[in-house]
Amino acid sequence: MDKTIFETFIGLEIHIQLITKTKIFCNCRNSFGDPPNTNICPVCMGYPGALPALNKEAAKKACLLCLALKCKLNEKAVFDRKNYFYPDLPNNYQITQFEFPFGIEGSVDTALPDGSIKTVRIHEAHLEEDAGKMIHDRIGSMCDFNRAGTPLLEVVTKPDFKTGEEVEAFLLNFRRIIRYLGVSDGNMEEGSMRCDANVSINYIGKGLGKRVEVKNLNSSRNVKLAIQHEEQRQAKLLKAGEPILQETRLWDDDKKRTESMRSKEDANDYRYFPDPDLPPFATTPEFIAELKSMLVELPLARRNRFMSEYNLIQDTAEFLTEEKDKADYFEEACKKGADPQNAAAWLKGDVTKVLNREKMEILSSPLDIGRFIMLLDFVEKGKINGQTAKKVLDIIITENKNPEDIIKENNWEQVDDSDSLMPVVEKVLAESAAAVNQIKAGDMKPVGFLIGQVMKNSGGKADPKKVKELIMEKIK
Protein backbone atom coordinates (compact mmCIF):
# COMPACT_ATOMS: atom_id res chain seq x y z
CA MET A 1 0.00 0.00 0.00
CA ASP A 2 1.32 3.43 -0.94
CA LYS A 3 1.64 5.35 2.35
CA THR A 4 2.03 8.63 0.41
CA ILE A 5 -1.54 8.29 -0.88
CA PHE A 6 -3.45 6.30 1.73
CA GLU A 7 -3.66 6.25 5.50
CA THR A 8 -4.89 3.41 7.68
CA PHE A 9 -7.22 3.46 10.69
CA ILE A 10 -7.32 0.37 12.90
CA GLY A 11 -9.37 -0.29 16.00
CA LEU A 12 -9.48 -3.47 18.07
CA GLU A 13 -12.14 -5.45 19.89
CA ILE A 14 -10.33 -7.66 22.39
CA HIS A 15 -12.26 -10.36 24.24
CA ILE A 16 -10.69 -11.89 27.34
CA GLN A 17 -12.11 -14.74 29.39
CA LEU A 18 -11.85 -13.85 33.07
CA ILE A 19 -10.36 -16.27 35.60
CA THR A 20 -13.21 -17.27 37.90
CA LYS A 21 -14.21 -20.55 39.52
CA THR A 22 -17.73 -20.38 38.09
CA LYS A 23 -19.47 -18.85 35.09
CA ILE A 24 -20.77 -15.30 34.99
CA PHE A 25 -24.47 -15.93 35.75
CA CYS A 26 -24.58 -19.46 37.21
CA ASN A 27 -22.62 -21.90 39.39
CA CYS A 28 -21.25 -24.09 36.60
CA ARG A 29 -17.48 -24.64 36.57
CA ASN A 30 -15.50 -22.19 34.45
CA SER A 31 -12.91 -24.65 33.16
CA PHE A 32 -11.16 -25.16 29.82
CA GLY A 33 -10.68 -28.61 28.31
CA ASP A 34 -13.37 -30.58 30.17
CA PRO A 35 -15.45 -33.18 28.24
CA PRO A 36 -18.09 -31.50 26.05
CA ASN A 37 -21.35 -30.40 27.70
CA THR A 38 -20.36 -31.41 31.24
CA ASN A 39 -20.35 -27.87 32.73
CA ILE A 40 -23.90 -26.81 31.89
CA CYS A 41 -27.14 -26.04 33.75
CA PRO A 42 -30.59 -24.54 33.04
CA VAL A 43 -29.21 -20.98 33.34
CA CYS A 44 -26.35 -21.20 30.82
CA MET A 45 -28.48 -23.42 28.57
CA GLY A 46 -31.26 -20.81 28.43
CA TYR A 47 -34.06 -22.95 29.85
CA PRO A 48 -37.37 -21.13 30.40
CA GLY A 49 -37.72 -19.71 33.89
CA ALA A 50 -34.01 -20.01 34.81
CA LEU A 51 -32.77 -16.75 36.34
CA PRO A 52 -29.20 -15.39 36.06
CA ALA A 53 -27.27 -13.97 39.04
CA LEU A 54 -24.09 -11.92 38.54
CA ASN A 55 -20.77 -13.45 39.64
CA LYS A 56 -19.22 -10.78 41.89
CA GLU A 57 -15.67 -12.00 41.21
CA ALA A 58 -16.20 -11.46 37.47
CA ALA A 59 -17.45 -7.91 38.13
CA LYS A 60 -14.47 -7.21 40.41
CA LYS A 61 -11.90 -8.40 37.85
CA ALA A 62 -13.64 -6.50 35.06
CA CYS A 63 -13.51 -3.27 37.08
CA LEU A 64 -9.89 -3.92 38.13
CA LEU A 65 -8.80 -4.05 34.49
CA CYS A 66 -10.86 -0.94 33.75
CA LEU A 67 -8.92 0.97 36.43
CA ALA A 68 -5.59 -0.34 35.10
CA LEU A 69 -6.60 0.94 31.65
CA LYS A 70 -7.41 4.36 33.21
CA CYS A 71 -11.11 4.00 32.39
CA LYS A 72 -13.86 5.89 34.16
CA LEU A 73 -16.15 3.50 36.01
CA ASN A 74 -19.86 4.02 35.48
CA GLU A 75 -21.64 4.51 38.79
CA LYS A 76 -24.28 2.05 37.58
CA ALA A 77 -23.36 -0.54 34.96
CA VAL A 78 -26.36 -2.00 33.13
CA PHE A 79 -26.70 -5.41 31.49
CA ASP A 80 -28.53 -5.60 28.16
CA ARG A 81 -29.79 -8.29 25.83
CA LYS A 82 -28.18 -8.41 22.39
CA ASN A 83 -30.60 -10.32 20.19
CA TYR A 84 -29.39 -12.61 17.43
CA PHE A 85 -29.67 -16.27 16.51
CA TYR A 86 -26.71 -18.62 16.33
CA PRO A 87 -26.61 -22.36 17.17
CA ASP A 88 -24.10 -21.94 20.03
CA LEU A 89 -26.19 -19.19 21.73
CA PRO A 90 -28.83 -21.08 23.77
CA ASN A 91 -30.95 -18.05 24.74
CA ASN A 92 -31.01 -16.61 21.20
CA TYR A 93 -29.68 -13.47 22.87
CA GLN A 94 -26.41 -12.60 24.60
CA ILE A 95 -26.34 -10.84 27.96
CA THR A 96 -23.88 -7.99 27.45
CA GLN A 97 -23.58 -4.23 28.08
CA PHE A 98 -24.46 -1.49 25.63
CA GLU A 99 -25.19 2.03 26.85
CA PHE A 100 -23.72 1.79 30.37
CA PRO A 101 -20.69 -0.58 30.39
CA PHE A 102 -18.34 -0.95 33.35
CA GLY A 103 -15.61 1.30 31.96
CA ILE A 104 -15.32 4.12 29.40
CA GLU A 105 -12.74 6.61 28.07
CA GLY A 106 -9.47 4.98 29.09
CA SER A 107 -5.97 4.83 27.63
CA VAL A 108 -2.91 2.61 27.69
CA ASP A 109 0.73 3.21 26.73
CA THR A 110 2.64 0.69 24.60
CA ALA A 111 6.32 0.52 23.65
CA LEU A 112 6.66 0.16 19.87
CA PRO A 113 9.47 -1.74 18.08
CA ASP A 114 11.23 1.56 17.20
CA GLY A 115 11.46 2.44 20.91
CA SER A 116 8.74 5.10 20.88
CA ILE A 117 5.73 5.06 23.20
CA LYS A 118 2.23 5.05 21.70
CA THR A 119 -0.86 5.99 23.69
CA VAL A 120 -3.98 4.13 22.57
CA ARG A 121 -7.40 5.38 23.66
CA ILE A 122 -9.87 2.88 25.09
CA HIS A 123 -13.47 3.51 23.99
CA GLU A 124 -15.06 1.14 26.50
CA ALA A 125 -14.79 -2.14 28.39
CA HIS A 126 -17.96 -4.14 28.86
CA LEU A 127 -18.73 -7.44 30.58
CA GLU A 128 -20.74 -10.15 28.84
CA GLU A 129 -21.27 -13.89 28.60
CA ASP A 130 -19.37 -15.97 26.07
CA ALA A 131 -21.16 -18.20 23.59
CA GLY A 132 -20.67 -21.94 23.23
CA LYS A 133 -18.30 -23.51 20.73
CA MET A 134 -19.14 -24.99 17.35
CA ILE A 135 -17.18 -28.10 16.35
CA HIS A 136 -17.15 -29.01 12.67
CA ASP A 137 -15.99 -32.28 11.09
CA ARG A 138 -16.84 -34.47 8.11
CA ILE A 139 -19.93 -35.85 9.86
CA GLY A 140 -21.46 -32.46 10.59
CA SER A 141 -21.50 -29.64 13.14
CA MET A 142 -21.87 -30.06 16.91
CA CYS A 143 -22.20 -27.67 19.86
CA ASP A 144 -20.17 -27.77 23.06
CA PHE A 145 -21.90 -25.47 25.57
CA ASN A 146 -19.21 -25.67 28.26
CA ARG A 147 -17.97 -22.22 27.21
CA ALA A 148 -21.48 -20.70 27.19
CA GLY A 149 -21.73 -18.29 30.10
CA THR A 150 -17.99 -17.88 30.62
CA PRO A 151 -17.33 -14.31 31.86
CA LEU A 152 -15.98 -12.32 28.94
CA LEU A 153 -14.66 -8.77 29.08
CA GLU A 154 -14.59 -6.96 25.75
CA VAL A 155 -12.16 -4.05 25.49
CA VAL A 156 -12.80 -1.76 22.52
CA THR A 157 -10.12 0.70 21.38
CA LYS A 158 -10.45 3.84 19.32
CA PRO A 159 -9.12 3.57 15.71
CA ASP A 160 -5.71 4.86 16.84
CA PHE A 161 -3.44 2.28 15.19
CA LYS A 162 -1.78 2.97 11.86
CA THR A 163 0.08 -0.30 11.16
CA GLY A 164 -0.12 -4.00 11.90
CA GLU A 165 3.21 -3.75 13.71
CA GLU A 166 1.72 -1.26 16.19
CA VAL A 167 -1.21 -3.61 16.80
CA GLU A 168 1.08 -6.60 17.39
CA ALA A 169 3.14 -4.66 19.96
CA PHE A 170 -0.06 -3.47 21.68
CA LEU A 171 -1.51 -6.98 21.94
CA LEU A 172 1.70 -8.35 23.46
CA ASN A 173 1.65 -5.52 26.01
CA PHE A 174 -2.07 -5.96 26.70
CA ARG A 175 -1.55 -9.67 27.33
CA ARG A 176 1.19 -8.86 29.85
CA ILE A 177 -1.14 -6.40 31.63
CA ILE A 178 -3.99 -8.88 32.09
CA ARG A 179 -1.57 -11.56 33.28
CA TYR A 180 0.08 -9.13 35.75
CA LEU A 181 -3.34 -8.32 37.18
CA GLY A 182 -4.33 -12.00 37.29
CA VAL A 183 -7.65 -11.36 35.54
CA SER A 184 -6.99 -13.72 32.58
CA ASP A 185 -4.27 -16.06 31.33
CA GLY A 186 -4.41 -14.38 27.88
CA ASN A 187 -3.91 -17.65 26.02
CA MET A 188 -4.91 -16.90 22.42
CA GLU A 189 -4.38 -20.51 21.33
CA GLU A 190 -7.03 -21.71 23.82
CA GLY A 191 -9.34 -18.81 23.01
CA SER A 192 -9.13 -17.09 26.40
CA MET A 193 -7.97 -13.96 24.56
CA ARG A 194 -9.46 -13.24 21.16
CA CYS A 195 -9.13 -10.20 18.94
CA ASP A 196 -11.11 -8.75 16.05
CA ALA A 197 -9.58 -5.94 14.01
CA ASN A 198 -11.59 -3.14 12.39
CA VAL A 199 -9.62 -1.86 9.41
CA SER A 200 -10.36 1.04 7.11
CA ILE A 201 -8.15 2.95 4.69
CA ASN A 202 -8.76 6.16 2.84
CA TYR A 203 -6.96 8.85 0.90
CA ILE A 204 -4.85 11.00 3.23
CA GLY A 205 -6.92 13.78 4.80
CA LYS A 206 -10.28 12.21 3.94
CA GLY A 207 -10.86 10.64 7.39
CA LEU A 208 -12.19 7.16 8.14
CA GLY A 209 -13.09 4.88 5.27
CA LYS A 210 -15.52 1.96 5.20
CA ARG A 211 -14.98 -0.26 8.24
CA VAL A 212 -14.13 -3.91 7.62
CA GLU A 213 -14.06 -6.26 10.62
CA VAL A 214 -11.62 -9.18 10.49
CA LYS A 215 -12.30 -12.20 12.69
CA ASN A 216 -10.70 -15.61 13.39
CA LEU A 217 -7.40 -14.15 14.57
CA ASN A 218 -5.73 -16.52 17.05
CA SER A 219 -2.31 -14.91 17.52
CA SER A 220 -0.83 -11.43 17.62
CA ARG A 221 1.21 -12.31 14.52
CA ASN A 222 -1.90 -13.31 12.59
CA VAL A 223 -3.56 -10.04 13.57
CA LYS A 224 -0.62 -8.19 12.04
CA LEU A 225 -0.67 -10.30 8.86
CA ALA A 226 -4.43 -9.93 8.44
CA ILE A 227 -4.21 -6.14 8.78
CA GLN A 228 -1.39 -5.95 6.24
CA HIS A 229 -3.39 -8.06 3.78
CA GLU A 230 -6.53 -5.98 4.33
CA GLU A 231 -4.61 -2.75 3.70
CA GLN A 232 -3.40 -4.07 0.35
CA ARG A 233 -6.85 -5.40 -0.60
CA GLN A 234 -8.66 -2.16 0.21
CA ALA A 235 -6.01 0.01 -1.47
CA LYS A 236 -6.35 -2.04 -4.65
CA LEU A 237 -10.13 -1.50 -4.65
CA LEU A 238 -9.81 2.25 -4.13
CA LYS A 239 -7.28 2.59 -6.93
CA ALA A 240 -9.62 0.70 -9.26
CA GLY A 241 -12.53 2.95 -8.30
CA GLU A 242 -14.46 0.06 -6.76
CA PRO A 243 -16.44 0.37 -3.50
CA ILE A 244 -15.24 -1.09 -0.21
CA LEU A 245 -18.10 -2.94 1.46
CA GLN A 246 -18.79 -2.62 5.19
CA GLU A 247 -18.55 -6.29 6.05
CA THR A 248 -17.13 -8.96 8.34
CA ARG A 249 -14.30 -11.03 6.91
CA LEU A 250 -12.48 -14.14 8.17
CA TRP A 251 -8.72 -14.63 8.19
CA ASP A 252 -7.63 -17.80 6.37
CA ASP A 253 -4.32 -18.72 7.96
CA ASP A 254 -3.48 -21.33 5.31
CA LYS A 255 -4.05 -18.99 2.37
CA LYS A 256 -2.83 -15.92 4.28
CA ARG A 257 -5.76 -13.80 3.18
CA THR A 258 -9.14 -12.53 4.37
CA GLU A 259 -12.40 -13.87 2.94
CA SER A 260 -15.90 -12.42 3.08
CA MET A 261 -18.16 -13.82 5.82
CA ARG A 262 -21.22 -11.54 5.98
CA SER A 263 -22.31 -7.92 5.71
CA LYS A 264 -21.46 -5.91 8.82
CA GLU A 265 -24.35 -5.33 11.22
CA ASP A 266 -25.16 -2.03 12.88
CA ALA A 267 -26.08 -1.73 16.57
CA ASN A 268 -29.79 -1.32 15.87
CA ASP A 269 -29.84 -4.72 14.12
CA TYR A 270 -29.38 -6.37 17.51
CA ARG A 271 -32.39 -4.69 19.21
CA TYR A 272 -30.58 -4.02 22.48
CA PHE A 273 -32.71 -3.52 25.59
CA PRO A 274 -31.94 -3.71 29.36
CA ASP A 275 -32.06 -7.24 30.75
CA PRO A 276 -35.11 -7.42 33.05
CA ASP A 277 -33.61 -10.22 35.15
CA LEU A 278 -30.41 -8.39 36.18
CA PRO A 279 -30.35 -5.18 38.26
CA PRO A 280 -27.72 -2.50 37.50
CA PHE A 281 -24.34 -3.05 39.17
CA ALA A 282 -23.58 -0.06 41.41
CA THR A 283 -20.00 0.78 42.37
CA THR A 284 -19.40 2.07 45.91
CA PRO A 285 -16.44 3.99 47.37
CA GLU A 286 -15.55 0.87 49.39
CA PHE A 287 -15.59 -1.30 46.26
CA ILE A 288 -13.35 1.14 44.35
CA ALA A 289 -10.94 1.38 47.32
CA GLU A 290 -10.67 -2.42 47.34
CA LEU A 291 -9.90 -2.42 43.61
CA LYS A 292 -7.20 0.24 43.96
CA SER A 293 -5.50 -1.86 46.63
CA MET A 294 -5.32 -4.71 44.11
CA LEU A 295 -3.58 -2.68 41.38
CA VAL A 296 0.04 -3.56 40.61
CA GLU A 297 2.88 -1.83 38.76
CA LEU A 298 2.23 -2.55 35.08
CA PRO A 299 4.82 -4.08 32.70
CA LEU A 300 5.91 -0.93 30.83
CA ALA A 301 6.35 1.11 34.01
CA ARG A 302 8.24 -1.76 35.61
CA ARG A 303 10.48 -2.14 32.57
CA ASN A 304 11.39 1.54 32.70
CA ARG A 305 12.07 1.36 36.44
CA PHE A 306 14.29 -1.71 36.02
CA MET A 307 16.34 0.19 33.44
CA SER A 308 16.86 3.20 35.71
CA GLU A 309 17.03 1.51 39.13
CA TYR A 310 19.11 -1.54 38.19
CA ASN A 311 20.96 -0.05 35.22
CA LEU A 312 19.72 -2.75 32.83
CA ILE A 313 19.63 -2.43 29.07
CA GLN A 314 16.17 -2.29 27.50
CA ASP A 315 16.27 -5.79 26.03
CA THR A 316 17.12 -7.36 29.40
CA ALA A 317 14.54 -5.26 31.28
CA GLU A 318 11.85 -6.28 28.76
CA PHE A 319 12.74 -9.94 29.20
CA LEU A 320 12.57 -9.75 32.99
CA THR A 321 9.20 -7.95 32.97
CA GLU A 322 7.47 -10.21 30.42
CA GLU A 323 5.89 -12.14 33.29
CA LYS A 324 5.13 -10.82 36.76
CA ASP A 325 6.53 -13.94 38.48
CA LYS A 326 9.87 -13.52 36.74
CA ALA A 327 10.06 -9.82 37.60
CA ASP A 328 9.10 -10.51 41.24
CA TYR A 329 11.77 -13.23 41.48
CA PHE A 330 14.47 -10.90 40.13
CA GLU A 331 13.55 -8.06 42.48
CA GLU A 332 13.42 -10.32 45.51
CA ALA A 333 16.87 -11.72 44.66
CA CYS A 334 18.26 -8.17 44.37
CA LYS A 335 16.69 -7.18 47.71
CA LYS A 336 18.44 -10.16 49.33
CA GLY A 337 21.86 -9.15 48.03
CA ALA A 338 22.23 -10.47 44.49
CA ASP A 339 24.09 -8.24 42.05
CA PRO A 340 21.44 -7.01 39.55
CA GLN A 341 23.66 -7.40 36.49
CA ASN A 342 24.72 -10.95 37.38
CA ALA A 343 21.21 -12.00 38.43
CA ALA A 344 19.71 -10.63 35.20
CA ALA A 345 22.35 -12.34 33.03
CA TRP A 346 21.82 -15.73 34.69
CA LEU A 347 18.03 -15.46 34.57
CA LYS A 348 18.03 -14.46 30.92
CA GLY A 349 20.56 -17.11 29.95
CA ASP A 350 21.19 -20.45 31.65
CA VAL A 351 18.31 -20.39 34.15
CA THR A 352 15.71 -19.87 31.40
CA LYS A 353 17.43 -22.46 29.21
CA VAL A 354 17.22 -25.20 31.87
CA LEU A 355 13.68 -24.27 32.99
CA ASN A 356 12.42 -24.36 29.39
CA ARG A 357 14.05 -27.73 28.85
CA GLU A 358 12.47 -29.13 31.99
CA LYS A 359 9.11 -27.37 31.27
CA MET A 360 9.13 -25.63 34.65
CA GLU A 361 8.07 -22.19 35.89
CA ILE A 362 10.62 -20.36 38.00
CA LEU A 363 8.51 -19.94 41.17
CA SER A 364 7.51 -23.61 41.26
CA SER A 365 10.99 -24.91 40.40
CA PRO A 366 13.59 -26.21 42.92
CA LEU A 367 15.65 -23.05 42.24
CA ASP A 368 14.29 -20.99 45.09
CA ILE A 369 15.72 -17.52 45.66
CA GLY A 370 17.99 -18.70 48.48
CA ARG A 371 19.65 -21.30 46.25
CA PHE A 372 19.93 -18.82 43.37
CA ILE A 373 21.69 -16.23 45.55
CA MET A 374 23.99 -18.90 46.99
CA LEU A 375 24.98 -20.03 43.49
CA LEU A 376 25.77 -16.47 42.39
CA ASP A 377 27.73 -15.88 45.62
CA PHE A 378 29.87 -19.00 45.08
CA VAL A 379 30.83 -17.75 41.61
CA GLU A 380 31.51 -14.19 42.78
CA LYS A 381 33.74 -15.38 45.65
CA GLY A 382 35.64 -17.80 43.42
CA LYS A 383 34.46 -20.99 45.11
CA ILE A 384 33.41 -22.32 41.67
CA ASN A 385 33.89 -20.98 38.16
CA GLY A 386 31.22 -20.14 35.61
CA GLN A 387 31.33 -23.48 33.79
CA THR A 388 31.00 -25.44 37.02
CA ALA A 389 28.18 -23.15 38.13
CA LYS A 390 26.21 -24.13 35.02
CA LYS A 391 26.54 -27.81 35.97
CA VAL A 392 25.51 -27.03 39.56
CA LEU A 393 22.47 -25.11 38.29
CA ASP A 394 21.39 -28.06 36.17
CA ILE A 395 21.54 -30.42 39.16
CA ILE A 396 19.71 -27.98 41.46
CA ILE A 397 16.76 -27.91 39.07
CA THR A 398 16.72 -31.54 37.93
CA GLU A 399 17.58 -33.21 41.27
CA ASN A 400 16.30 -30.64 43.80
CA LYS A 401 19.61 -30.34 45.70
CA ASN A 402 21.37 -27.48 47.45
CA PRO A 403 24.36 -25.95 45.59
CA GLU A 404 26.74 -26.44 48.52
CA ASP A 405 25.94 -30.16 48.73
CA ILE A 406 26.38 -30.59 44.97
CA ILE A 407 29.82 -28.96 45.03
CA LYS A 408 30.99 -31.13 47.96
CA GLU A 409 29.64 -34.37 46.51
CA ASN A 410 31.38 -33.80 43.18
CA ASN A 411 34.57 -32.20 44.56
CA TRP A 412 34.01 -29.21 42.26
CA GLU A 413 35.40 -26.47 44.48
CA GLN A 414 37.66 -24.21 42.44
CA VAL A 415 41.43 -24.59 42.77
CA ASP A 416 43.38 -21.32 42.79
CA ASP A 417 46.66 -22.09 44.58
CA SER A 418 49.81 -22.01 42.46
CA ASP A 419 51.31 -25.22 43.84
CA SER A 420 48.33 -27.29 42.70
CA LEU A 421 47.90 -25.62 39.32
CA MET A 422 51.51 -25.17 38.17
CA PRO A 423 52.09 -28.88 37.27
CA VAL A 424 48.96 -28.83 35.08
CA VAL A 425 50.04 -25.55 33.43
CA GLU A 426 53.53 -26.92 32.72
CA LYS A 427 52.04 -30.09 31.19
CA VAL A 428 49.75 -28.11 28.86
CA LEU A 429 52.56 -25.73 27.80
CA ALA A 430 54.87 -28.67 27.05
CA GLU A 431 52.19 -30.17 24.78
CA SER A 432 51.44 -26.87 23.04
CA ALA A 433 54.78 -25.61 21.71
CA ALA A 434 53.26 -23.88 18.66
CA ALA A 435 50.83 -21.87 20.82
CA VAL A 436 53.62 -20.91 23.23
CA ASN A 437 55.85 -19.69 20.37
CA GLN A 438 52.93 -17.69 18.92
CA ILE A 439 52.47 -15.93 22.27
CA LYS A 440 56.21 -15.28 22.57
CA ALA A 441 56.05 -13.65 19.13
CA GLY A 442 53.42 -11.21 20.43
CA ASP A 443 50.18 -12.89 19.30
CA MET A 444 47.99 -13.36 22.37
CA LYS A 445 45.16 -15.25 20.65
CA PRO A 446 46.27 -18.74 21.83
CA VAL A 447 46.04 -17.71 25.51
CA GLY A 448 42.35 -18.61 25.60
CA PHE A 449 43.10 -21.99 24.07
CA LEU A 450 45.76 -22.73 26.70
CA ILE A 451 43.43 -21.70 29.54
CA GLY A 452 40.82 -24.05 28.12
CA GLN A 453 43.29 -26.93 28.03
CA VAL A 454 44.27 -26.34 31.66
CA MET A 455 40.59 -26.21 32.64
CA LYS A 456 40.03 -29.49 30.81
CA ASN A 457 42.98 -31.19 32.47
CA SER A 458 41.87 -29.98 35.90
CA GLY A 459 38.35 -31.29 35.50
CA GLY A 460 36.98 -27.76 35.27
CA LYS A 461 38.13 -26.90 38.80
CA ALA A 462 40.92 -24.45 37.97
CA ASP A 463 40.41 -20.72 38.51
CA PRO A 464 40.67 -19.22 34.98
CA LYS A 465 42.16 -15.93 36.25
CA LYS A 466 44.87 -17.74 38.22
CA VAL A 467 45.55 -20.05 35.26
CA LYS A 468 46.09 -17.09 32.92
CA GLU A 469 48.44 -15.49 35.44
CA LEU A 470 50.50 -18.70 35.71
CA ILE A 471 50.61 -19.24 31.94
CA MET A 472 51.96 -15.73 31.29
CA GLU A 473 54.42 -16.03 34.16
CA LYS A 474 55.76 -19.34 32.85
CA ILE A 475 56.05 -18.19 29.23
CA LYS A 476 57.87 -15.00 30.18
Side-chain angles (χ1 to χ4, degrees), residues 184-200:
S184 175
D185 62 22
N187 191 329
M188 293 190 79
E189 291 76 17
E190 294 182 358
S192 55
M193 174 173 157
R194 309 193 289 277
C195 177
D196 302 331
N198 294 304
V199 185
S200 72

Side-chain angles (χ1 to χ4, degrees), residues 30 43 85 107 156 168 190 211 218 241 253 269 278 285 287 290 292 299 333 371 373 378 426 429 433 449:
N30 177 20
V43 174
F85 170 79
S107 67
V156 182
E168 183 178 35
E190 294 182 358
R211 178 166 61 99
N218 60 1
D253 193 30
D269 293 325
L278 288 162
F287 179 71
E290 182 186 1
K292 288 182 176 179
R371 286 174 170 176
I373 292 173
F378 285 162
E426 290 174 341
L429 294 180
F449 164 76

Side-chain angles (χ1 to χ4, degrees), residues 296-315:
V296 298
E297 185 180 28
L298 297 182
L300 181 59
R302 202 169 195 185
R303 183 205 75 171
N304 293 339
R305 181 171 63 80
F306 276 19
M307 291 169 65
S308 60
E309 188 173 325
Y310 299 112
N311 198 28
L312 301 177
I313 62 172
Q314 182 173 313
D315 182 63

Side-chain angles (χ1 to χ4, degrees), residues 434-445:
V436 171
N437 291 332
Q438 204 172 331
I439 294 169
K440 286 181 176 178
D443 184 357
M444 304 305 290
K445 290 179 183 177

